[in-house]
Amino acid sequence: MKFWPIAREELFVAVEYYGAIEKRLGPKLKEEARIARERIAGNPLAAALRAGGYRRVNLRMFPYYFAYIILDETIWVLAFGHHARRPEYWLGREGEVFRR
């Protein structure tokens, strides 16, 4: 599994944000994100293919999701997005992955 650089930054920013709200929330979000990544890695085709050509796995307790594509057997995480903020703002990143 590979992270598009900005997707990794989105995750770090969210962890820092929740950690600033309450010390235990940052590590809790980080752990939940790890579990979601393991679910993706264990069965990347389990998430439905969405209209934009990507798959999405929601975190269970936090309002975030991982958006990813599978290209040449590599899982590319394109975004760590918030459910209610700027839906699908990251669409177009997959084109950057294809150009690599």
Side-chain angles (χ1 to χ4, degrees):
M1 178 180 301
K2 295 184 179 184
F3 270 74
W4 200 242
I6 191 121
R8 185 177 305 281
E9 183 178 330
E10 290 164 344
L11 173 58
F12 291 147
V13 167
V15 168
E16 286 180 14
Y17 171 78
Y18 277 95
I21 292 172
E22 187 175 321
K23 189 175 181 178
R24 66 181 179 85
L25 289 179
K28 196 168 190 172
L29 172 58
K30 191 174 182 180
E31 175 64 11
E32 189 172 345
R34 183 192 63 75
I35 291 167
R37 287 192 313 271
E38 286 180 359
R39 285 190 359 239
I40 294 168
N43 191 357
L45 299 176
L49 190 61
R50 293 183 169 246
Y54 68 95
R55 297 173 191 276
R56 174 176 156 169
V57 169
N58 296 326
L59 272 62
R60 296 183 194 275
M61 295 173 34
F62 290 87
Y64 286 90
Y65 62 88
F66 284 108
Y68 65 96
I69 60 172
I70 303 168
L71 179 63
D72 297 329
E73 298 184 22
T74 299
I75 300 165
W76 282 93
V77 175
L78 300 175
F80 185 70
H82 189 281
H83 290 198
R85 294 187 199 132
R86 300 177 4 218
E88 298 183 331
Y89 65 92
W90 48 268
L91 282 176
R93 290 182 187 172
E94 74 280 1
E96 297 174 32
V97 171
F98 288 120
R99 287 193 292 273
R100 285 190 127 203

